[in-house]
């Protein structure tokens, strides 16, 4: 089969991971990115077992483990110290775990791997793609670079430029709307009083939600262990969060009245005049698409299925998109050509049900944690604890958090994703029950 030349628009998690997989198979890839240089901005994120399986497939898991923070579970605490959420990865599979990681570290790990295939990769930084035109045998991109117009031809294009993408084919978009709640976040030195292998969350009704995620280290300071702190807020209040000393003291009192140990740690951080935490805001979108690809155009990552971060699946779904596209490309080879229709049939078979499951669950659960509904927190506090007392539900919730679910009664096999058998590896679209890994 002749070497294909792919354009990938956006150098986020989905774009970089897909570029690795395509160049590893010998294809040419050109990455278009708006910024001058990659300097990822964002809080730490949690790579679930599903994402780590893709990391293993990519050959970057060992490097990520050196810098990330191993996470064994999620614990969510109410003001009365009762655990509302108590989910641990071993309940889904004995060798499963998550990895807290800084966005800059995630980007670093993927780019270092991509350098191994540099002869097949072209970077187009400071390039803005404005329009995509598909023809019978090619796709043409039109855009600007340093105030000059450009156009370029490729065999196919993958749109991976994030939740606010303006390049998605409008006919494919069913929902594209902002969530009314977001989060203020900061990356700070690791909390000494909290278990460093647990994602800690704290809730009071649906009005207050805070998280402390072990985040590992960044490549330039590998000895400094970090945590990411999240505080949920309506988007209208994000810009005014902790804007003066009075606001800081009011916020600390809110936390101290409910979780005094955590408040004391935060107080020490905020009172350090030489190393003040920098708080930034995160806003989220709900994006639902009727399809992810057709012909020579595809959409992956948050551009295809942005959602609330309540289940912590954004980066994991992006990585699974990259893996599924690579597998589908292998399966679509026919007589030294690519059957693009067969490629997207395979891809949708693998990604549609999983994406729909997590988007539905995210949309269902988000109001229970972030909303103005007076009844939401009470309903959650009443139902969740007893569910964790039932072994079946406890295991299903752990598998769900792991990112391995493909439907209500189906899940991915971790090893099916993690394995890499070279160019002869063929995609198997069949989903299997998750085994216990001993």
């Amino acid at each position: 089969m002749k070497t294909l030349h792919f354009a990938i628009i956006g150098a986020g998690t989905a774009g970089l991971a897909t570029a690795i997989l395509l160049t590893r198979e010998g294809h040419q890839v050109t990455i278009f990115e708006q910024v001058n240089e990659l300097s990822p901005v964002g809080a730490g994120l949690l790579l679930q077992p599903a994402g780590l399986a893709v990391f293993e497939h990519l050959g970057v898991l060992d490097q990520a483990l050196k810098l990330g923070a191993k996470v064994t579970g999620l614990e969510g605490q109410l003001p009365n110290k009762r655990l509302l959420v108590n989910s641990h990865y071993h309940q889904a599979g004995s060798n499963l775990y998550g990895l807290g990681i800084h966005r800059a570290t995630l980007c670093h790990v993927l780019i270092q791997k991509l350098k191994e295939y540099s002869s097949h990769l072209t970077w187009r930084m400071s390039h803005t793609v404005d329009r995509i035109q598909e023809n019978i045998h090619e796709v043409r991109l039109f855009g600007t670079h340093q105030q000059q117009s450009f156009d370029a031809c490729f065999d196919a294009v993958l749109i991976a430029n994030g939740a606010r993408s303006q390049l998605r084919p409008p006919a494919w978009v069913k929902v594209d709307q902002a969530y009314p709640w977001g989060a203020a976040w900061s990356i700070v030195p690791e909390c000494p009083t909290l278990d460093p292998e647990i994602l800690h969350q704290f809730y009071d009704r649906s009005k207050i939600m805070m998280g402390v995620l072990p985040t590992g280290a960044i490549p330039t300071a590998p000895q400094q262990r970090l945590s990411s702190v999240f505080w949920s807020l309506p988007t209208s209040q994000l810009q005014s969060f902790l804007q003066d000393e009075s606001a800081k003291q009011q916020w600390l009192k809110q936390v101290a009245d409910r979780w005094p140990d955590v408040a004391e740690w935060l107080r020490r951080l905020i009172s350090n005049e030489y190393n003040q935490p920098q708080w930034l805001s995160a806003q989220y979108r709900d994006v639902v698409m009727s399809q992810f690809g057709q012909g020579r155009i595809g959409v992956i990552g948050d551009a295809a299925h942005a959602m609330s971060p309540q289940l912590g699946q954004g980066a994991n779904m992006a990585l699974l998109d990259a893996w599924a596209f690579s597998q589908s490309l292998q399966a679509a080879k026919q007589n030294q050509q690519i059957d693009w229709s067969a490629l997207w049939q395979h891809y949708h078979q693998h990604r549609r049900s999983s994406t729909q499951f997590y988007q539905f669950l995210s949309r269902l659960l988000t109001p229970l944690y972030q909303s103005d509904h007076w009844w939401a927190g009470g309903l959650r506090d009443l139902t969740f604890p007893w569910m964790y007392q039932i072994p079946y539900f406890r295991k299903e919730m752990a598998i769900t958090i792991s990112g391995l679910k493909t439907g209500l009664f189906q899940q991915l096999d971790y090893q099916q994703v993690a394995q890499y058998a070279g160019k002869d590896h063929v995609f198997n679209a069949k989903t299997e029950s998750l085994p216990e890994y001993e």
Side-chain angles (χ1 to χ4, degrees):
M1 187 182 77
K2 80 177 185 74
T3 298
L4 297 174
H5 194 172
F6 290 89
I8 296 178
I9 305 172
T13 303
L16 293 175
T18 306
I20 293 171
L21 292 169
L22 292 177
T23 54
R24 183 166 75 179
E25 293 298 323
H27 300 295
Q28 293 292 322
V29 172
T30 297
I31 298 178
F32 289 86
E33 178 54 59
Q34 288 187 347
V35 298
N36 293 323
E37 60 179 286
L38 293 181
S39 53
V41 175
L45 53 87
L46 181 58
L47 289 178
Q48 307 288 5
L52 295 180
V54 180
F55 260 38
E56 189 171 336
H57 183 82
L58 291 168
V60 300
L61 180 57
D62 288 343
Q63 185 61 30
L65 290 173
K66 293 176 183 177
L67 292 168
K70 184 178 180 180
V71 175
T72 60
L74 164 62
E75 295 181 2
Q77 188 181 124
L78 297 172
N80 62 9
K81 306 297 186 279
R82 184 168 61 119
L83 286 181
L84 175 72
V85 176
N86 187 18
S87 193
H88 298 266
Y89 294 110
H90 69 79
Q91 296 161 348
S94 59
N95 288 338
L96 298 182
Y97 56 89
L99 190 72
I101 192 167
H102 196 295
R103 286 184 186 273
T105 303
L106 175 64
C107 181
H108 169 80
V109 168
L110 293 175
I111 287 179
Q112 290 302 115
K113 187 65 177 180
L114 202 47
K115 288 179 179 178
E116 297 179 17
Y117 312 106
S118 57
S119 62
H120 291 80
L121 179 69
T122 303
W123 288 93
R124 290 287 180 258
M125 305 302 290
S126 302
H127 281 64
T128 299
V129 178
D130 300 316
R131 185 166 61 89
I132 302 171
Q133 177 182 305
E134 182 180 13
N135 302 317
I136 296 176
H137 299 298
E138 66 181 18
V139 179
R140 186 178 292 270
L141 304 187
F142 300 87
T144 56
H145 170 58
Q146 296 180 347
Q147 300 181 332
Q148 299 293 318
S149 298
F150 75 84
D151 67 88
C153 293
F154 300 91
D155 292 302
V157 61
L158 292 173
I159 300 165
N161 60 340
R164 294 171 178 79
S165 175
Q166 297 299 307
L167 295 174
R168 292 179 285 243
W172 301 359
V173 180
K174 296 171 63 178
V175 177
D176 179 13
Q177 61 187 17
Y179 269 100
W181 287 62
W185 61 267
S186 185
I187 295 181
V188 298
E190 189 173 70
C191 179
T193 59
L194 294 175
D195 187 332
E197 291 193 352
I198 294 292
L199 165 56
H200 297 272
Q201 292 186 342
F202 305 87
Y203 325 109
D204 188 1
R205 298 162 295 167
S206 58
K207 304 280 190 179
I208 290 179
M209 177 178 170
M210 179 174 65
V212 180
L213 169 68
T215 306
I218 58 176
T220 54
Q223 303 306 315
Q224 174 64 69
R225 307 299 288 179
L226 303 169
S227 294
S228 295
V229 180
F230 303 83
W231 181 262
S232 177
L233 283 171
T235 54
S236 59
Q237 299 177 22
L238 286 173
Q239 298 306 316
S240 60
F241 180 67
L242 302 190
Q243 61 182 351
D244 54 37
E245 187 60 31
S246 174
K248 291 179 182 179
Q249 295 306 316
Q250 184 178 1
W251 177 61
L252 287 172
K253 186 177 187 305
Q254 278 186 292
V255 181
D257 288 346
R258 296 165 175 84
W259 308 285
D261 292 345
V262 178
E264 182 56 35
W265 168 60
L266 293 172
R267 189 184 305 277
R268 290 196 299 271
L269 291 174
I270 289 177
S271 63
N272 184 345
E273 60 182 280
Y274 299 107
N275 192 20
Q276 279 280 312
Q278 299 297 309
W279 293 89
L280 297 175
S281 62
Q283 301 182 40
Y284 310 109
R285 298 191 73 79
D286 187 15
V287 174
V288 180
M289 299 183 67
S290 60
Q291 63 188 75
F292 302 128
Q294 181 178 303
R296 295 171 181 266
I297 298 175
V299 188
I300 59 175
D302 278 351
H305 43 61
M307 66 181 76
S308 159
Q310 191 57 57
L311 292 171
Q313 299 297 330
N316 306 282
M317 294 183 72
L319 290 167
L320 285 172
D321 288 351
W323 173 80
F325 182 80
S326 173
Q327 303 295 291
S328 299
L329 182 64
Q330 291 288 326
K333 291 179 182 178
Q334 292 187 7
N335 300 322
Q336 301 303 307
Q337 299 292 325
I338 295 296
D339 183 336
W340 296 100
S341 177
L343 185 154
W344 293 117
Q345 181 180 351
H346 275 271
Y347 185 84
H348 284 112
Q349 180 182 357
H350 198 74
R351 294 300 295 137
R352 180 180 277 137
S353 62
S354 175
T355 300
Q356 289 177 342
F357 174 82
Y358 280 103
Q359 288 194 306
F360 169 77
L361 203 57
S362 176
R363 201 172 295 114
L364 182 69
L365 291 177
T366 295
L368 302 182
Y369 294 91
Q370 297 174 301
S371 73
D372 292 317
H373 302 314
W374 62 267
W375 50 267
L379 176 64
R380 177 199 66 198
D381 296 353
L382 182 66
T383 56
F384 274 44
W386 73 260
M387 290 177 67
Y388 280 101
Q389 303 304 312
I390 301 173
Y392 172 78
F393 286 127
R394 189 164 59 240
K395 180 174 182 178
E396 287 299 304
M397 285 188 281
I399 297 173
T400 298
I401 290 174
S402 297
L404 293 165
K405 295 286 280 186
T406 58
L408 192 59
F409 301 109
Q410 292 180 312
Q411 55 268 342
L412 279 172
D413 183 331
Y414 179 101
Q415 294 299 339
Q416 178 193 2
V417 178
Q419 68 183 352
Y420 175 62
K423 293 188 177 183
D424 294 329
H425 181 61
V426 177
F427 172 53
N428 177 6
K430 179 184 176 183
T431 55
E432 303 175 7
S433 297
L434 177 70
E436 294 286 345
Y437 301 113
E438 301 299 340

